[in-house]
Each structure stands twice: as C-alpha cells, then as structure tokens.
Amino acid sequence: MSPSSPLKGIVSVSVLALAIQLLFIQSVSSQSQNNAFLYHKCSDIEGNFTSKSPYESNLDSLFRRISYRVPSSGFAASSAGNSPDNVNGLALCRGDASSSDCGSCLATAIPELRQRCPNNKAGIIWYDNCLVKYSSTNFFGKIDYENRFYLYNVNNVSDPASFNTQTKALLTELTQKATTGDNQKLFATGEKNLEKKKLYGLVQCTRDLRRESCKACLDGIIGELPNCCDGKEGGRVVGGSCNFRYEIYPFVKIA
Ligand SMILES: *[C@@H]1O[C@H](CO)[C@@H](O)[C@H](O)[C@H]1NC(C)=O
Ligand SMILES: *[C@@H]1O[C@H](CO)[C@@H](O)[C@H](O)[C@H]1NC(C)=O
C-alpha cells in the first residue's frame, strides 16, 4: 500500500554556507520508495583531485572494500592510502535492510556519488536504505554537524501540541534503546499508540560513534523537531552521523 503522502519536503541545512534550500519532490511509488534517493552533498573545502591520481585510486579501492564488507553487517568504516592521498570512508545500511537490499543500495549509491562529486575530495550521499560518505579528513568517531537535511510529510496533524510531545517522547525512548544494553547496531525502532492513530519511529547512528556520541547526536537532531516537522504527520532529520524518522504508518521492514 502506498502511504497517503502527496508531497514531501526536503530542507537542507548547510551550516557552512548558511544556506537553506527548499525543494519538493514527488512522492514515489511504494516500490521505489524502498530505496529512494534522498540527497547528496559534495564538499568544496577539502579540495579536488584529478583523474587517475593516487587519491582517485585510493577512493576506488576504499569503495570496493566497503561494497564487499558492508552487506553482511550493515556497516563498515575504512581508510585507504597514505598521506597526503589517504581517503577515509564509511557506509551504513538502514538497520532493518536485508543484506541483499543493503548490497543493492550500495551498488546504486557508490557510482552515483562518484558521478555527482567527480573530483571532490569529500562527499556524502543518502538513500532510504543506505548512506555513503568519504573524506580526505579522518572523521571517524566525530559527530558530523555539517551534513544534515530535513524531510517531512506536508500533511498536518489535527492535534499538533500533543502529537509533537508524543513524537519527541517516542524518539527519546528509541534513543535510549539504541544506545544502552547489548544493542551493538546503534539502531532502534518502535511504536506508540496515540488516541486515534499509531506513531512509528526509527533512530540510527553510524557505528564509528561511541554510544555517548550517538546519544548526543540523536538528542541534537531530536531537538530540531520543532524546526523540521512541527505538527507534520511524518518527518526525518537525516545527518552524516545519525538520523531519525517517524510516520503514522508502519515503514520498518519486518525480518
Ligand atoms: C575545485 O573544483 C571546482 C570546480 O571545478 C572549483 O570551483 C573549485 O575552486 C576547486 N577547489 C579547489 C580548492 O581547487
Ligand atoms: C499545514 O500547515 C501549514 C502551516 O499552517 C500550511 O501552510 C500548509 O498548507 C498545511 N498543509 C496542508 C497539506 O494542509
């Protein structure tokens, strides 16, 4: 069943450029929504590389390694080459993506990222099912505050005040679940019964982060709820280190 969301908005928050971009994309069929392209960003500040350079060959070998390693576990972070041509990268699949969905997401995302950021020394791309990021700077373990965007359903709920409170409560609960106990995936999903409907949520961090950083990252983006998704039936804040999503329909794959 296709969710009843006619339009979704994307807001990109670029801390560097202090620019806010507003785009609207058509809602896609539920088939392709399983792995929709969301957004990408190429970094200009880290500089450029030239075709056939050592940097490019390190980048390509890094991506080969990541494509090979990630589908079985859903995450890998790796580096290739020596200074000044070393490249750092990671890929993360959504916690509920099967290893075949994960592999096919990367098979789409990596060439697409190479094409969109052909000479940039850093870049990031997001799909529904995966995230791929690389940089000449070693960013492992650090919260990415620079790459972030919002996505929301344009439909408004009828009871925004209580809905917002419940959304925040669910995502805060899921943050706790993702960062405590024996949870190794820094991923949690859950649901909450509201008066007339049900709320579904998901939180996830990249696994180069320690638990405390994951929690700090999620707490930070949950704090952006009023900016991204005030009274909206669905919303996401998606970053380079963590993301959340909530909807009033089930969107998590049952294994
Ligand atoms: C990288 O390339 C872009 C486009 O070709 C150019 O605008 C930019 O100035 C370059 N950046 C550096 C640091 O050389
Ligand atoms: C939701 O509310 C906003 C702000 O009041 C309004 O601009 C927008 O048109 C509403 N969306 C729908 C789908 O009615």
Side-chain angles (χ1 to χ4, degrees):
M1 294 289 284
S2 182
S4 57
S5 49
L7 280 175
K8 291 208 168 152
I10 295 189
V11 181
S12 146
V13 188
S14 166
V15 176
L16 286 172
L18 294 170
I20 293 179
Q21 240 180 313
L22 186 65
L23 313 165
F24 289 95
I25 56 166
Q26 292 286 342
S27 155
V28 282
S29 72
S30 59
Q31 185 65 27
S32 60
Q33 204 160 32
N34 287 336
N35 189 31
F37 165 78
L38 300 179
Y39 202 69
H40 87 285
K41 197 174 158 195
C42 309
S43 167
D44 287 327
I45 56 162
E46 299 202 30
N48 300 322
F49 62 84
T50 51
S51 184
K52 312 255 188 321
S53 62
Y55 194 88
E56 181 171 65
S57 104
N58 290 334
L59 182 59
D60 288 337
S61 72
L62 173 77
F63 280 158
R64 277 194 298 276
R65 199 181 307 153
I66 280 178
S67 314
Y68 176 75
R69 282 192 194 163
V70 173
S72 58
S73 63
F75 177 78
S78 188
S79 302
N82 300 312
S83 179
D85 299 306
N86 63 314
V87 192
N88 309 283
L90 61 73
L92 174 71
C93 284
R94 211 171 87 170
D96 61 332
S98 66
S99 97
S100 89
D101 285 348
C102 176
S104 76
C105 188
L106 298 177
T108 306
I110 290 174
E112 191 66 29
L113 181 57
R114 288 290 281 114
Q115 197 178 330
R116 287 176 186 251
C117 306
N119 303 110
N120 299 79
K121 283 196 168 181
I124 183 166
I125 194 165
W126 292 268
Y127 283 76
D128 258 346
N129 277 339
C130 66
L131 143 71
V132 179
K133 177 179 174 180
Y134 72 95
S135 171
S136 53
T137 305
N138 184 334
F139 58 87
F140 300 141
K142 300 182 191 113
I143 299 174
D144 180 345
Y145 291 105
E146 272 156 34
N147 298 303
R148 197 181 321 142
F149 63 96
Y150 305 156
L151 253 161
Y152 58 89
N153 187 317
V154 291
N155 293 327
N156 300 309
V157 295
S158 51
D159 50 345
S162 79
F163 186 82
N164 291 345
T165 306
Q166 301 280 8
T167 302
K168 186 173 181 190
L170 172 61
L171 295 174
T172 303
E173 249 170 60
L174 295 180
T175 296
Q176 188 68 13
K177 193 171 148 190
T179 56
T180 54
D182 58 3
N183 193 328
Q184 303 298 321
K185 281 179 92 177
L186 302 180
F187 169 74
T189 62
E191 51 193 66
K192 198 175 183 69
N193 287 313
L194 308 184
E195 248 175 65
K196 286 180 194 140
K197 44 188 172 281
K198 217 166 183 177
L199 185 61
Y200 301 84
L202 171 160
V203 302
Q204 187 168 19
C205 294
T206 57
R207 282 182 241 155
D208 57 313
L209 296 190
R210 293 168 162 274
R211 284 161 178 232
E212 311 84 74
S213 300
C214 174
K215 183 176 184 322
C217 187
L218 289 169
D219 286 345
I221 60 172
I222 290 168
E224 293 188 43
L225 271 169
N227 306 324
C228 84
C229 330
D230 187 24
K232 300 297 179 191
E233 283 185 352
R236 315 185 205 182
V237 174
V238 186
S241 297
C242 66
N243 71 85
F244 71 69
R245 178 175 179 182
Y246 74 89
E247 303 286 354
I248 55 168
Y249 58 85
F251 61 91
V252 172
K253 294 172 204 83
I254 312 295

